[in-house]
């Protein structure tokens, strides 16, 4: 019996209409729980964990976890997990989804939120179809995580004992359903405080130490050394970016143009599929800031100073093609008529942390296109294939 694609599309439109930017997932969590109950999932099988109490930034709610007992001939097979994230990037606030043929587009000048309402639609459809068609399947855990877009926080802080010990997991995120992502990039997040000395810029600029100038010199050095943007050093590759620049308490860096800036706070990130190279890029930034601070002196010979902090935000991984989870993924994509595209993602995924927790995880797309932009749209043919793939994965012995 085929999937009810009309119902699957209706769910997706329903979820797209609910705002739930990263950290503010309570409303979409309630909507997902309601849709699951309407699909026949018992209320007692749906729960929220307490990951939000461990996430170090404000988060409205915990991860949503659903437990489906096994059925029929597969009821005692090892447990598997399906997962996606329920938050969207802040640019999605105010989205107005509308149908346009076999696409969903946006009537507002915002991002649409297909990343990752598509994943949400796929997994609720999975639960609904297993119930509707009374299909045999192993025990299944479904995880809808929070704060993926702002640091993979929900997946990072989920308790593995809350997941029921799955032997493998299938994650839904961006791209076509035939993408079989068996690895992903890792990232360092860094921040630097630059301490200068305030002085009247029009009367005695020589007495000041400009933290803005320290920033400018450091970034010029990083750029000249080939450490900014796409970074290629021999066979090693990665990326880096400089993020927000603020003053104290998040205020603009230097609130008056006639005062030498005495403090600047900068954040950035460095990525690579090689964890050691990501750290090498980070260290290039650290060295540049420390060197620049020593170069900026006032008339008394005093210099600026910096306080640089870095941590691994998530770890890179690459699974072997021979793992059961990868073989199952390839077979399932082929079974629904697709051509598996085995790849490693250049962005971070919840899978980075779930693999770190000991559960091998493959990631698929669900029809999202131009994500995180005002041009975002959803391919409904790919979305339908993603729903069919989830059902195939659940039924594969």
């Amino acid at each position: 019996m085929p999937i009810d694609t009309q119902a699957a599309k209706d769910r997706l439109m329903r979820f797209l209409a609910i705002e739930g930017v990263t950290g503010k997932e309570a409303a979409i969590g309630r909507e997902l729980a309601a849709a699951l109950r309407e699909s026949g999932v018992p209320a007692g099988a749906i729960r929220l964990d307490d990951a939000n109490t461990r996430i170090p930034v404000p988060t409205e709610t915990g991860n949503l976890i659903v437990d489906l007992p096994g059925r029929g001939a597969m009821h005692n097979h090892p447990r598997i997990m399906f997962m996606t994230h329920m938050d969207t990037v802040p640019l999605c606030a105010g989205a107005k989804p509308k149908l346009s043929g076999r696409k969903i587009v946006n009537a507002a000048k915002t991002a649409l939120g297909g990343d990752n309402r598509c994943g949400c639609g796929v997994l609720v459809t999975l639960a609904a179809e297993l119930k509707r068609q009374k299909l045999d399947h192993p025990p299944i855990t479904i995880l809808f995580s929070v704060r993926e877009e702002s640091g993979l926080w929900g997946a990072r802080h989920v308790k593995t004992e809350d997941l029921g010990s799955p032997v493998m997991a299938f994650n839904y995120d961006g791209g076509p359903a035939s993408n079989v992502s068996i690895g992903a990039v890792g990232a360092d997040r860094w921040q630097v405080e630059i301490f200068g000395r305030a002085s009247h810029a029009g009367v005695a600029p020589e007495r000041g130490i400009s933290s803005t100038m320290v920033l400018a010199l450091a970034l010029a050095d990083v750029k000249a050394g080939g450490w900014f943007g796409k970074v290629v050093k021999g066979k090693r590759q990665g990326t880096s970016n400089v993020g927000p620049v603020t003053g104290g308490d998040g205020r603009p860096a230097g609130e008056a143009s006639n005062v030498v800036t005495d403090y600047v706070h900068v954040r950035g990130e460095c990525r690579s599929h090689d964890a050691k190279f990501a750290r090498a890029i980070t260290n290039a930034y650290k060295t540049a800031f420390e060197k620049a601070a020593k170069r900026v002196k006032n008339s008394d010979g005093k210099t600026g100073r910096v306080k640089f902090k870095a941590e691994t935000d998530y770890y890179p991984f690459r699974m072997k093609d021979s793992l059961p989870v990868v073989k199952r993924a390839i077979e399932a994509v082929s079974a629904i008529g697709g051509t598996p595209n085995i790849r490693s993602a250049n962005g971070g995924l919840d899978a980075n942390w779930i693999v770190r927790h000991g559960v091998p995880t493959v990631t698929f797309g669900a029809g999202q296109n131009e994500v995180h932009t005002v041009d975002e749209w959803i391919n409904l043919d790919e979305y339908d294939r993603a729903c069919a793939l989830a059902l195939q994965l659940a039924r594969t012995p």
Side-chain angles (χ1 to χ4, degrees), residues 103-172:
K103 294 181 179 180
I104 300 177
V105 296
N106 196 356
K109 293 297 183 181
T110 69
L112 178 58
D115 180 13
N116 205 359
R117 294 295 189 266
C118 285
C120 294
V122 167
L123 298 195
V124 174
T125 294
L126 169 65
E129 291 294 329
L130 289 174
K131 287 285 184 181
R132 184 178 74 90
Q133 299 189 42
K134 297 180 173 59
L135 298 172
D136 291 357
H137 63 84
I140 293 173
T141 299
I142 302 178
L143 170 65
F144 299 91
S145 68
V146 296
R147 272 203 180 274
E148 189 269 357
E149 297 290 5
S150 53
L152 315 181
W153 290 110
R156 182 173 185 167
H157 287 283
V158 70
K159 292 179 179 177
T160 53
E161 57 266 32
D162 285 341
L163 302 177
S165 302
V167 295
M168 62 181 68
F170 304 104
N171 182 39
Y172 277 86

Side-chain angles (χ1 to χ4, degrees), residues 48-63 146 157:
L48 292 168
D49 74 1
D50 62 352
N52 57 315
T53 66
R54 297 184 295 281
I55 295 172
V57 285
T59 308
E60 282 184 346
T61 187
N63 300 307
V146 296
H157 287 283

Side-chain angles (χ1 to χ4, degrees), residues 230-248:
K230 185 175 182 179
V231 183
V232 180
K233 302 289 182 180
K235 294 182 179 180
R236 301 187 299 172
Q237 295 189 24
T239 64
S240 78
N241 185 49
V242 178
V245 178
T246 59

Side-chain angles (χ1 to χ4, degrees), residues 48-373:
L48 292 168
D49 74 1
D50 62 352
N52 57 315
T53 66
R54 297 184 295 281
I55 295 172
V57 285
T59 308
E60 282 184 346
T61 187
N63 300 307
L64 182 67
I65 301 175
V66 183
D67 299 306
L68 303 180
R71 178 185 174 89
M74 300 177 68
H75 79 279
N76 62 349
H77 282 209
R79 178 176 292 271
I80 63 174
M81 182 166 76
F82 289 84
M83 55 184 288
T84 193
H85 64 89
M86 55 181 168
D87 60 317
T88 63
V89 295
L91 186 60
C92 295
K96 296 179 180 180
K98 70 174 184 178
L99 288 170
S100 177
R102 291 297 295 164
K103 294 181 179 180
I104 300 177
V105 296
N106 196 356
K109 293 297 183 181
T110 69
L112 178 58
D115 180 13
N116 205 359
R117 294 295 189 266
C118 285
C120 294
V122 167
L123 298 195
V124 174
T125 294
L126 169 65
E129 291 294 329
L130 289 174
K131 287 285 184 181
R132 184 178 74 90
Q133 299 189 42
K134 297 180 173 59
L135 298 172
D136 291 357
H137 63 84
I140 293 173
T141 299
I142 302 178
L143 170 65
F144 299 91
S145 68
V146 296
R147 272 203 180 274
E148 189 269 357
E149 297 290 5
S150 53
L152 315 181
W153 290 110
R156 182 173 185 167
H157 287 283
V158 70
K159 292 179 179 177
T160 53
E161 57 266 32
D162 285 341
L163 302 177
S165 302
V167 295
M168 62 181 68
F170 304 104
N171 182 39
Y172 277 86
D173 212 325
S178 57
N179 277 355
V180 181
S181 296
I182 63 172
V185 73
D188 278 0
R189 302 279 184 185
W190 57 261
Q191 59 179 309
V192 61
E193 294 181 280
I194 306 173
F195 301 93
R197 181 183 178 90
S199 180
H200 195 301
V203 176
E206 72 280 2
R207 294 177 60 186
I209 302 171
S210 173
S211 55
T212 306
M213 185 55 65
V214 173
L215 170 62
L217 291 172
L219 294 186
D221 192 22
V222 166
K223 182 69 167 65
W227 296 101
F228 177 75
K230 185 175 182 179
V231 183
V232 180
K233 302 289 182 180
K235 294 182 179 180
R236 301 187 299 172
Q237 295 189 24
T239 64
S240 78
N241 185 49
V242 178
V245 178
T246 59
D249 300 322
R251 299 190 305 271
E255 294 183 279
S257 62
N258 63 351
V259 177
V260 175
T261 309
D262 65 337
Y263 178 84
V264 168
H265 181 271
V266 191
R267 288 186 289 157
E269 70 166 25
C270 304
R271 296 185 181 191
S272 178
H273 289 279
D274 179 342
K276 291 182 179 179
F277 189 54
R279 185 46 56 96
I281 302 172
T282 301
N283 287 337
Y285 275 87
K286 181 176 185 290
T287 299
F289 279 111
E290 291 173 346
K291 179 181 175 182
K294 294 177 181 178
R295 292 174 61 189
V296 181
K297 300 180 180 180
N298 69 1
S299 55
D300 296 325
K302 294 181 179 179
T303 67
R305 64 183 181 89
V306 298
K307 186 176 181 181
F308 190 96
K309 295 181 180 179
E311 67 175 359
T312 298
D313 199 28
Y314 46 90
Y315 297 84
F317 75 97
R318 170 85 186 197
M319 298 185 298
K320 294 181 179 179
D321 294 8
S322 59
L323 284 181
V325 67
V326 178
K327 290 183 176 180
R328 186 165 181 159
I330 292 171
E331 290 170 1
V333 171
S334 299
I336 64 165
T339 301
N341 175 29
I342 302 173
R343 62 194 289 272
S344 283
N346 287 322
L349 303 166
D350 275 343
N352 289 69
W353 278 106
I354 300 302
V355 168
R356 190 81 177 175
H357 293 327
V359 184
T361 304
V362 169
T363 299
F364 307 96
Q368 308 95 324
N369 291 273
E370 303 289 345
V371 300
H372 300 186
T373 76

